[in-house]
Amino acid sequence: MHDTVILAAGWIQTGTGLGNDIKDLIFNVAIPVLCGAFVVIVGFKTKAPGPTIMAVIFAAIVWGGSANMDTLKDKTTEDITQYDGGNGGAGGQLTGPGDM
């Protein structure tokens, strides 16, 4: 009798672990560093306060959006569910005169 061995299970776990580590590295290190570099580069290239302030605002939006990805995902899911009429409703379509 042959024992069943799933060879891919270890690779899948390894890939998932690497994926999670890389994702954490991107969101917690790479994006903040790139946002900071963006602000510094714009500041040195333009030597003007206006573009530098706009670079800070844009970097803050990007950094904040990436830091709150779970919240944004949940909000998007809520919006889609609400548009679909609750729990998988009529796809946002009106079905009768009492719907308005």
Side-chain angles (χ1 to χ4, degrees):
M1 180 176 259
H2 295 280
D3 291 330
T4 303
V5 177
I6 301 174
L7 297 175
W11 287 107
I12 291 171
Q13 284 180 331
T14 302
T16 301
L18 286 175
N20 288 336
D21 290 343
I22 290 172
K23 183 184 83 164
D24 288 343
L25 185 64
I26 289 171
F27 282 106
N28 296 331
V29 177
I31 291 176
V33 167
L34 290 174
C35 286
F38 174 70
V39 171
V40 170
I41 291 169
V42 168
F44 278 121
K45 289 283 190 178
T46 62
K47 294 187 179 18
T52 306
I53 291 170
M54 290 306 296
V56 169
I57 292 170
F58 182 69
I61 291 170
V62 170
W63 191 352
S66 69
N68 295 313
M69 197 64 72
D70 290 334
T71 304
L72 295 172
K73 177 188 65 104
D74 293 341
K75 178 64 178 144
T76 304
T77 303
E78 289 173 13
D79 290 347
I80 291 170
T81 302
Q82 182 179 1
Y83 177 78
D84 283 344
N87 296 323
Q93 298 173 357
L94 301 177
T95 57
D99 288 343
M100 296 204 47

